Structure formats: C-alpha cells, structure tokens
C-alpha cells in the first residue's frame, strides 16, 4: 500500500512547524508517521524542534495519538525544489525504506516552490511508493494582508512565490492571531481558482482542527464549485440545479463532467456552469488549448454569451499552464487575448465555462425553439466517456456552446489533448 503524503508549504514565519507539531496530536493510534523537514539554512532548527516535541509526546504517552512512532528527518542547506532536488528524492526514498511509515508529512522551506516537489512525488521512482493525499498552504493573514506596503514594493499576496504556494494547495490554513483581516481574507479567498478549502487554526496554530487530515485526503476539494451563484450573488436566483454526469476521469481526454444551471428571477435568464476535470496524465497542446479558449471566450450571439472561462491544464511533462484572459471580446467576431501562464497546480487539469442565455428562449426541460439543447442532451454525456468516435476541433466549441450541446463541447475540448 502506498504511503500517504501530505505537503505543508507557506512563507517564512507563517507557522508551518507549529502546525505540523499540532497535527501530531491527531495521529491515529498505532500509526507510524514520518516528518521530512527542509531548511534552507545550513543549521537546521525546525527539525530539531519537531524531534524534541515528538520525543516528549511519545515519552508522555498519548500526546501523539496514544501509540505508534514518529520519525523526523531534516534536510538543511538547500531548497528541496531546486539546488537540493536530487538529494531530497534520495533522502525521502531512504526515509521511506528504513522507517516504512503510514503517513509522510513534508514541511517545505518558506522559499520553496511546491510544483517541482509534487512532480517528483507523483512520478517514478517515488510515485511508485507514495500517494499525495493533499497539499496545505499555511498563511499568516497579518503578514500577507498588511497595509503598510511601500509604493516600490510588491504586495505579498501578488508575489510569485506566494501565488505558487497557494496555487499548489488544496487547503489554505489560516494561522491567525486575531480576526482583524477576516474581510480581506474572505475577499481574496473568493478569487482563488481552482477553489481552495479554507480552514482556521486556534491560538496561532497550536490547535489545528482534527478534521484537517481528513480534508487533505478528501475528494471534496477536487470538485468544481458552480460559479453561477458566485457571479450572480447580487441577482436573486429562482432555482439552481446541478448535474454531475460523470464521476471517473481517465487518461485519454475523458473528463469528469459537472453541469450547473441557474434560472434568475425577474428576466428568466439562465446561467450554465460547465466543469470538466481531466486526469493529471492528460497533456494538452498549448496551441490548440489557446485556440479553444479564444473560441470559447469569443462565443456570443443575440441569445447566448460566454461570461467567463478558466482553465488550468497540464501542457508538458512538468509544465502546467493557467489560461489567463488579458482582454475579452466585446462583440461577435472579435477574439479574446489568451495567455498561458505557468502554474504550480498539480492535482488535475480542469476547465470551467460560464454561459448566460437571456430569458424567454424556451421551456426548461425541452429543446429551445432555436435548436439549443437543454437537459434533454445531458444523458448523452454518459456515453461520451466510452466513445472516441466524435472528432471535433478546438474551433468547434463556439457552435457547441451556442447550441448548448455539451457532448460536442466535451469532444471539442478533447481535441486539445495530445493522444
């Protein structure tokens, strides 16, 4: 059985070691845990502190779940994602072989970029013996959202290092002394995509929630939250329905498919959210992906308009790209300018599209008079998982969206995958 691995990342001073130490209190009885700590400095401190805490807990009998063993290994003198990458892989492999733990918790340096570490953990040789169960970014809101930023400084929340650490995470753990930054934190959290679970500690990390390990291992963070209710929070929606049409994603461009539909009170318009989640082994062609995203974001006619589209896709062996929009089309025939920026996200490839259809265009449950499909087209997606015969191009996404033909849309997106 592979060893469950959880990665803990965050900026210097965020409180990662305090959080890891607090996690030890939730170790199930009889399990053996290994803690791997990376320090940039030549003299390691965090590892020594964790070792002392683990020894004290075990001698005290019960502070770490009442049984089992905790092994702490420290790698000092280099960042595990760059200068010490080879040494890191060898050290982790040795730790696993000698200790045979049930769970491995890796505490990265505050200067570490987690993307390359996640790549190493999910490909041979380490990938054959471990399973990454979740990544956590520890955040000190007082440091991240402080207001005294000089004009010539870059804000912490926009710094590439912090952006990468958050992008790679499944859970953001707020290590707060006070709730003074609650509003700023809430506003920032709403902008994150893919969505992240948000968990708060008590007393500056000394009391992490017992459910945290379960959340790291849960598939809930892998679901696409419907954007329809977020985008139209100021519009009172009559009804919102969601359909998760396929649960299993497999290599070969077969995604999980999630469809949401909101009917808005007043004008009767509909907003659809279409989510596609692809297996992490699928690799997308950058040129075709950019064409697909341009086509999607330029889709509009007198009835239907794409409001928003976001994607984070694996575009190489170790490259992941976030499709960022630097300009949107304002009228039919124009194209949006898409840039593919690097991303540290590693869990899966995913695409989310938000489509608005103005009101009065047909019955809820029937095909619209102009040929647009509604719920009657949804069962066809079940068959799409096993069907490779539908061959479309990235540019066919426009017609698929205008018809609300989600089967054709999935086939168009599949054409961007390198098969």
């Amino acid at each position: 059985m592979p060893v469950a691995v959880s990665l803990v990342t965050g900026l210097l001073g965020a409180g990662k070691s305090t959080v890891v130490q607090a996690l030890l209190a939730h170790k199930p009885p009889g399990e053996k845990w290994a803690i791997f700590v990376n320090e940039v400095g030549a003299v390691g401190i965090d590892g020594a502190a964790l070792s002392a805490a683990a020894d004290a807990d075990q001698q005290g009998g019960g502070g770490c779940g009442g049984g089992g063993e905790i092994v702490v290994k420290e790698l000092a003198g280099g960042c595990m994602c760059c200068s010490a990458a080879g040494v890191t892989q060898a050290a982790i492999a040795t730790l696993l072989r000698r200790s045979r733990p049930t769970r491995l918790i890796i505490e990265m340096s505050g200067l570490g970029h987690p993307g390359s570490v996640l790549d190493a953990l999910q490909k041979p040789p380490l990938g054959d013996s471990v399973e990454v169960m979740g990544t956590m970014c520890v955040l000190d809101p007082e440091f991240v959202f402080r207001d005294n930023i000089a004009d010539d400084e870059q804000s912490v929340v926009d710094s590439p290092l912090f952006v990468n650490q958050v992008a790679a995470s499944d859970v953001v753990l707020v290590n707060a002394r006070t709730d003074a930054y609650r509003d700023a934190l809430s506003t920032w959290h709403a902008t994150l995509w893919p969505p992240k679970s948000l968990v708060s500690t008590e007393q500056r990390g000394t009391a992490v929630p017992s459910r945290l390990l379960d959340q790291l291992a849960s598939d809930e963070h892998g679901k696409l939250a419907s954007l329809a209710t977020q985008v139209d929070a100021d519009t009172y929606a009559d009804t919102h329905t969601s359909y998760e049409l396929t649960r299993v994603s497999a290599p070969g461009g077969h995604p999980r498919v999630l469809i949401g539909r909101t009917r808005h009170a007043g004008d009767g318009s509909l907003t659809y959210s279409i989510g596609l989640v692809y297996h992490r082994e699928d690799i997308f062609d950058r040129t075709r992906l950019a064409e697909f995203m341009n086509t999607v974001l330029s889709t509009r006619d007198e009835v239907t308009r794409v409001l928003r589209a976001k994607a984070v896709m694996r575009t190489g062996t170790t490259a992941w790209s976030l499709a960022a929009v630097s300009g949107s089309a304002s009228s039919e025939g124009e194209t949006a300018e898409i840039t593919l920026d690097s991303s540290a996200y590693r869990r899966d490839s995913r695409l989310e599209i938000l489509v608005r259809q103005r009101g009065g265009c047909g019955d809820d449950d029937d095909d619209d008079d102009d040929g647009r499909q509604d719920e009657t087209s949804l069962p066809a997606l079940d068959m799409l998982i096993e069907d490779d015969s539908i061959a479309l191009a990235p540019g066919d996404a426009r017609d698929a969206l205008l018809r609300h033909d989600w089967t054709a849309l999935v086939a168009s997106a599949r054409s961007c995958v390198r098969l």
Side-chain angles (χ1 to χ4, degrees):
M1 179 179 295
V3 177
V5 178
S6 297
L7 193 67
V8 179
T9 185
L11 298 174
L12 292 170
K16 297 184 296 297
S17 294
T18 304
V19 168
V20 171
Q21 183 174 331
L23 280 173
L24 300 181
H26 302 303
K27 184 180 73 66
E31 283 195 4
K32 184 176 185 179
W33 283 15
I35 314 295
F36 187 89
V37 185
N38 178 218
E39 283 271 35
V40 174
V43 178
I45 297 175
D46 288 345
L50 283 170
S51 293
D55 289 344
D57 281 340
Q58 291 178 96
Q59 290 173 9
C64 290
E69 183 181 348
I70 299 172
V71 179
V72 179
K73 169 68 178 177
E74 183 173 36
L75 176 69
C79 183
M80 66 189 297
C81 65
C82 46
S83 60
V87 176
T88 296
Q89 294 184 44
I92 291 176
T94 300
L95 176 62
L96 295 176
R97 185 175 63 254
R98 291 180 177 176
S99 302
R100 300 187 180 280
T102 308
R103 177 184 289 271
L104 170 64
I105 297 178
I106 298 177
E107 180 192 332
M108 290 191 60
S109 158
L111 300 178
H113 291 262
S116 58
V117 176
L118 289 169
D119 285 334
L121 290 170
Q122 296 180 90
K123 67 180 182 181
L126 285 178
D128 295 333
S129 55
V130 304
E131 180 180 0
V132 178
M133 300 300 292
T135 301
M136 173 172 56
C137 178
V138 182
L139 176 154
D140 179 354
E142 186 174 352
F143 177 68
V144 172
F145 300 107
R146 71 189 191 279
D147 296 327
N148 57 340
I149 300 294
D151 292 339
D152 58 346
E153 292 181 352
Q154 183 181 48
S155 66
V156 175
V157 75
D158 295 323
S159 66
L161 176 58
F162 179 71
V163 168
N164 277 334
Q165 290 177 345
V166 173
S169 68
D170 302 303
V171 175
V172 175
L173 184 67
V174 182
N175 208 3
R177 297 178 179 87
T178 70
D179 62 356
Y181 298 89
R182 181 176 55 189
D183 291 343
L185 182 67
S186 177
T187 300
W188 168 79
H189 178 247
T191 68
L192 298 181
W193 196 86
K196 316 290 179 185
S197 296
L198 194 66
V199 179
S200 296
T201 65
E202 298 176 11
Q203 301 173 3
R204 179 62 177 169
T206 56
V208 300
S210 59
R211 68 183 188 278
L212 183 57
L213 287 175
D214 290 334
Q215 284 188 264
L216 286 173
S218 171
D219 188 50
E220 288 303 308
H221 51 64
K223 288 190 175 183
L224 281 171
S226 170
L227 290 180
T229 53
Q230 296 180 25
V231 173
D232 299 283
D234 57 343
T235 302
Y236 295 101
D238 251 354
T239 58
H240 179 77
T241 52
S242 297
Y243 310 86
E244 184 163 359
L245 289 121
T246 59
R247 284 285 303 169
V248 180
S249 66
H254 301 294
R256 287 175 62 184
V257 180
L258 300 91
I259 306 289
R261 192 190 69 167
T262 300
R263 177 173 289 280
H264 304 284
D267 63 0
S269 62
L270 298 173
T271 297
Y272 294 91
S273 56
I274 303 100
L276 309 179
V277 184
Y278 294 85
H279 195 278
R280 72 176 310 276
E281 294 303 319
D282 281 331
I283 298 179
F284 287 75
D285 181 271
R286 286 176 60 90
T287 301
R288 281 179 278 171
L289 177 60
E291 180 186 355
F292 177 86
M293 293 297 293
N294 270 309
T295 300
V296 167
L297 284 162
S298 302
T299 297
R300 67 189 65 238
D301 65 5
E302 69 280 2
V303 174
T304 299
R305 177 183 180 184
V306 170
L307 300 178
R308 183 159 62 192
K310 299 181 179 182
V312 57
M313 302 292 197
R314 185 177 183 180
T315 53
T317 304
T318 58
W320 294 68
S321 298
L322 178 71
V325 186
S326 54
S328 60
S330 59
S331 62
E332 186 177 357
E334 294 186 12
T335 58
E337 184 180 350
I338 302 295
T339 58
L340 298 181
D341 299 328
S342 61
S343 175
Y345 186 75
R346 290 297 190 272
R347 177 166 293 278
D348 45 43
S349 290
R350 54 180 57 204
L351 165 72
E352 196 163 52
I353 303 170
L354 207 64
V355 187
R356 170 65 65 85
Q357 176 186 345
R358 68 175 176 81
C361 297
D363 187 78
D364 276 1
D365 300 317
D366 298 318
D367 289 357
D368 295 333
D369 294 337
D370 56 5
R372 288 173 171 81
Q373 297 180 24
D374 212 308
E375 274 82 348
T376 53
S377 68
L378 298 182
L381 283 164
D382 290 327
M383 296 181 288
L384 186 62
I385 288 298
E386 303 296 335
D387 185 6
D388 292 320
S389 63
I390 303 177
L392 296 179
D396 293 321
R398 180 183 186 277
D399 287 340
L401 283 164
L402 292 178
R403 296 194 313 270
H404 301 166
D405 186 345
W406 314 132
T407 303
L409 179 66
V410 173
S412 177
R414 182 189 295 163
S415 70
C416 303
V417 180
R418 299 179 191 172
L419 300 176

